[in-house]
Amino acid sequence: MCGIVGYIGDKDAPLICLQGLRRLEYRGYDSAGISVVVDGLLDTRKVVGKLDNLEALLQTEPLHGPVGIGHTRWATHGKPSVDNSHPHLSCAGDLAVVHNGIIENYSELREQLRGEGHEFRSQTDTEVIAHLIEKLYQGNLGDAVRAACHELRGSFALGVIHQSHPDLLIGARRFSPLVVGIGKGENFIASDMGAIRKWTDQVYVIGDDEMGEITSQGIELFDLEKQPVHREIFNIPWPAEAAEKGGHKHFMHKEIHEQPAAMRECLLGRLSSPDKPIVLEGLNMTDDDIRGLKKVIFAACGTAYHAGLVGSFLMENFARIPSEGDLAAELRARNPVVLEGTLAILVSQSGETADTLVALRELKEKGARVVSVINVVDSSIARESDGVVYIQAGPEIGVASTKAYTLQVLTLQMLACHFAEVRGVQPPEVLRDMKIGIMNVPEQAAECLAREDDVKAVAAKYYQLHNALYLGRGISLPTAMEGALKLKEISYIHAEGYSAGEMKHGPIALVEPALFTVAVAVQGDVYEKMVGNIQEIKAREGPVIALATDGDEYIPGEADDVMWVPACPELISAATAQIPLQLFAYHVADMKGCHIDQPRNLAKTVTVE
Ligand code: AGP
């Protein structure tokens, strides 16, 4: 996600913005910039790379002034470059905008503005906002911003300044977070409270389609109809040093809780109605290309591999295309036969994993079309793919992948549904139900997070054991495998994800009171078989934690403990079912005092084979 800081007051705005942006560095970024209004003129400095580059530029080309906005960019549209970095300016260069979010209708707005003579310098959606405000400006900056927000579809947190209004800073938001900081003789805007906690512990958390017109002496909050809005002052309960994690103890915990909002970003502009086609910009495949597919190969590592297994299951079970999920490191070793009409889908959070990149090159060389499902824009795997679908998760700092996984799954759910629709292999009502189910995932994820205390209570019963089995069947097998990976990589408990159907072929020999089993037994085609597996384990005195669907009255009598998930079609259960397992692993590791964000021996990105 991008980071925004704005300041108006008696201090030096560029200095405040730079220091504030440093507290947002954890969000990850690839470029940065600051604009100020001084002596009736707007001036801007922008760089590619880290804030140190911006600080160095400000040394050689100083910028000072009492009102300014700053930005760290996490690329979503357009690769990292000075032109694509924020702030973005109007044609006249008298107005600057910084933005976090995704403007769904930026293409049509850009064409419309181009037709009216506006010239664009970047590939970004954000620049459209600067030109739109310029077009609508008739002397009142607040009115122009409100009018522009009415025309924007999608998500935004905005900071706006104008050289004709040296005493005004504007902040507006829809879906993307923004707070207004309350100072004495100075005021602020920021993407999160941590960025400005050094200077104030009081903020207004403004709501969607609300904005602040801010001077150094006061703050006025309005809705987009210019009706005044009343917001209670929020007193930030934690000290500045806790800021980067937004009050969370670990980045992993923060990222687990970011999932509903990140999921909504992932769906934005792609799946807005069950009665409309899914639009996956960047896929770069025509309907004929999709109809011509004869096989899909998923290749990835670790968590991304588990997401690929979910994708492979859906591609075959729902889109009816022969499909397989491979470990990238193993694919090359078997010298795969790639037939005509093969699509390779490479899944990767970082887009830099060496094994996955090697697999991409191998499959491409053998004639496969390559599409990647990636988080980091313009990463190596993205650049070498024929098509890229970004998951829009924002930076993931914790080494153990959480939100990237569920957004990879969500993206692959959309992809499989899109392919099924184009190939005409599912009836309209089935497709519609699938789209409704996918659209409900963010709310269901939020419901799972609301049950964190229940999961924590279960973790307290098991965190001192040393061995675990995670069992699943069908589309829940990857859920079990990913749950086991989460536990082992942050708590160091030996956990194996296994096909429940395989229990009787060996693993059941391990069952004893000291080994606990997590059984993914959500409602669906394999539920009865999973109950049977639970009974087999209980008969051998193995403790069992079941992952079960709300309303299941049978499971509580079979398992020792239950973690509950909201009811949803089994085919799209993989994303929400993972959340209790993430929370379970997190609390087990926390109770063991493990170094959760940087587990021993692990790196966030493995760029060596
Ligand atoms: C997952 O929690 C691990 N951090 C690791 O397995 C990771 O998923 C794997 O290294 C692949 O990384 P990528 O998604 O960046 O390609």
Side-chain angles (χ1 to χ4, degrees):
M1 289 160 287
C2 303
I4 289 174
V5 177
Y7 175 81
I8 187 164
D10 53 7
K11 296 188 181 77
D12 186 37
L15 185 60
I16 301 288
C17 289
L18 191 62
Q19 291 176 350
L21 289 175
R22 285 208 180 279
R23 286 169 180 77
L24 295 175
E25 285 196 285
Y26 68 86
R27 299 162 80 98
Y29 64 101
D30 42 55
S31 54
I34 290 175
S35 289
V36 293
V37 171
V38 57
D39 302 333
L41 287 176
L42 184 83
D43 204 356
T44 300
R45 303 286 184 273
K46 304 201 285 189
V47 296
V48 173
K50 298 305 180 189
L51 287 173
D52 289 347
N53 298 349
L54 183 58
E55 190 164 21
L57 181 59
L58 290 169
Q59 300 285 341
T60 56
E61 299 176 39
L63 206 51
H64 299 289
V67 57
I69 49 178
H71 187 268
T72 47
R73 180 176 183 244
W74 172 266
T76 54
H77 295 81
K79 66 182 184 182
S81 68
V82 172
D83 284 345
N84 285 338
S85 60
H86 305 206
H88 285 286
L89 309 184
S90 54
C91 291
D94 56 358
L95 172 149
V97 173
V98 290
H99 167 231
N100 178 28
I102 293 174
I103 303 303
E104 289 179 38
N105 59 334
Y106 83 96
S107 296
E108 59 195 81
L109 287 171
R110 183 166 58 187
E111 289 320 303
Q112 180 186 332
L113 289 160
R114 273 196 176 127
E116 294 162 359
H118 288 262
E119 292 185 10
F120 286 80
R121 307 174 185 88
S122 80
Q123 306 157 292
T124 66
D125 54 344
T126 303
E127 191 182 358
V128 165
I129 304 171
H131 292 281
L132 189 56
I133 296 171
E134 178 176 38
K135 168 188 172 181
L136 299 166
Y137 176 72
Q138 296 175 345
N140 183 307
L141 185 59
D143 289 348
V145 173
R146 273 182 288 275
C149 289
H150 274 297
E151 295 195 32
L152 299 177
R153 285 206 315 275
S155 60
F156 55 78
L158 298 179
V160 184
I161 55 176
H162 193 299
Q163 67 185 24
S164 301
H165 300 269
D167 55 354
L168 186 59
L169 166 67
I170 290 200
R173 67 155 288 181
R174 181 188 298 158
F175 301 147
S176 294
L178 190 74
V179 296
V180 178
I182 306 161
K184 293 182 176 59
E186 61 185 10
N187 290 303
F188 311 79
I189 59 170
S191 298
D192 70 34
M193 306 169 192
I196 53 177
R197 177 64 187 79
K198 176 181 177 182
W199 301 286
T200 179
D201 63 357
Q202 293 194 321
V203 298
Y204 292 119
V205 181
I206 61 176
D208 289 340
D209 285 335
E210 292 179 5
M211 59 183 279
E213 297 189 23
I214 304 156
T215 69
S216 60
Q217 301 308 315
I219 297 165
E220 290 186 288
L221 302 180
F222 300 97
D223 65 16
L224 296 189
E225 311 311 322
K226 204 171 181 178
Q227 292 304 306
V229 165
H230 174 69
R231 288 277 165 193
E232 294 299 323
I233 290 176
F234 177 82
N235 294 296
I236 304 172
W238 29 264
E241 56 274 9
E244 286 195 356
K245 303 184 187 94
H248 292 270
K249 189 174 178 183
H250 298 100
F251 280 116
M252 182 180 176
H253 193 260
K254 181 171 182 290
E255 286 150 12
I256 288 172
H257 282 268
E258 282 174 348
Q259 289 178 109
M263 288 170 171
R264 289 185 199 99
E265 292 272 309
C266 182
L267 294 174
L268 268 182
R270 295 169 165 172
L271 175 50
S272 55
S273 161
D275 301 313
K276 290 181 181 174
I278 291 171
V279 178
L280 295 171
E281 185 180 322
L283 177 62
N284 196 24
M285 290 182 74
T286 65
D287 288 356
D288 283 344
D289 293 336
I290 294 169
R291 282 189 279 266
L293 290 178
K294 294 190 175 51
K295 180 163 186 181
V296 181
I297 296 175
F298 289 81
C301 301
T303 286
Y305 163 65
H306 299 147
L309 290 179
V310 174
S312 174
F313 188 96
L314 291 171
M315 206 54 87
E316 186 142 350
N317 179 289
F318 192 73
R320 309 307 296 151
I321 307 173
S323 183
E324 66 182 59
D326 288 289
L327 284 168
E330 293 302 319
L331 190 80
R332 187 183 188 188
R334 74 159 205 265
N335 188 16
V337 173
V338 176
L339 300 174
E340 189 183 346
T342 294
L343 171 67
I345 297 181
L346 287 299
V347 185
S348 175
Q349 189 285 129
S350 64
E352 301 297 343
T353 299
D355 288 325
T356 309
L357 189 55
V358 166
L360 179 156
R361 291 168 179 163
E362 177 88 4
L363 291 163
K364 197 166 190 176
E365 189 183 319
K366 290 176 178 278
R369 183 191 195 98
V370 172
V371 164
S372 54
V373 173
I374 300 280
N375 192 30
V376 179
V377 172
D378 205 40
S379 51
S380 300
I381 292 172
R383 284 200 297 273
E384 297 193 24
S385 300
D386 300 315
V388 185
V389 183
Y390 288 112
I391 66 171
Q392 307 290 3
E396 187 176 67
I397 309 301
V399 166
S401 188
T402 50
K403 62 175 181 174
Y405 174 74
T406 54
L407 268 71
Q408 286 162 355
V409 168
L410 193 65
T411 302
L412 292 171
Q413 289 171 348
M414 286 194 278
L415 189 66
C417 188
H418 176 55
F419 280 18
E421 186 161 27
V422 169
R423 293 169 68 94
V425 296
Q426 295 292 349
E429 63 276 12
V430 169
L431 288 166
R432 190 174 195 281
D433 288 347
M434 183 74 157
K435 291 176 185 176
I436 290 170
I438 296 170
M439 291 171 72
N440 287 339
V441 168
E443 279 59 44
Q444 298 201 328
E447 177 54 35
C448 290
L449 291 171
R451 302 172 183 180
E452 178 169 10
D453 288 346
D454 300 337
V455 174
K456 187 174 179 180
V458 175
K461 292 176 63 177
Y462 295 89
Y463 79 98
Q464 292 170 311
L465 295 183
H466 300 290
N467 294 288
L469 268 178
Y470 280 63
L471 302 180
R473 289 173 179 259
I475 200 159
S476 293
L477 174 54
T479 299
M481 294 167 73
E482 173 60 12
L485 175 59
K486 238 20 68 189
L487 185 71
K488 77 177 92 174
E489 68 177 328
I490 63 172
S491 75
Y492 314 141
I493 290 174
H494 176 232
E496 281 193 73
Y498 230 94
S499 162
E502 273 292 294
M503 272 296 281
K504 52 190 173 299
H505 302 291
I508 199 161
L510 295 172
V511 174
E512 58 179 25
L515 173 134
F516 70 91
T517 296
V518 177
V520 184
V522 296
Q523 289 297 330
D525 296 342
V526 296
Y527 173 77
E528 283 73 22
K529 288 191 173 64
M530 284 306 299
V531 170
N533 288 123
I534 291 171
Q535 290 164 342
E536 286 165 10
I537 295 165
K538 290 301 298 165
R540 293 160 179 82
E541 298 179 354
V544 175
I545 306 167
L547 192 69
T549 304
D550 287 353
D552 184 332
E553 295 175 351
Y554 185 69
I555 280 285
E558 296 298 323
D560 297 275
D561 293 279
V562 182
M563 296 190 284
W564 297 98
V565 292
C568 74
E570 185 182 25
L571 276 185
I572 50 159
S573 61
T576 42
Q578 193 55 230
I579 292 177
L581 303 183
Q582 293 169 347
L583 291 169
F584 178 79
Y586 173 81
H587 286 294
V588 164
D590 194 36
M591 290 167 189
K592 292 187 67 177
C594 295
H595 199 315
I596 289 172
D597 283 335
Q598 286 92 28
R600 68 186 181 200
N601 310 332
L602 288 178
K604 181 61 184 170
T605 304
V606 181
T607 54
V608 293
E609 285 185 71

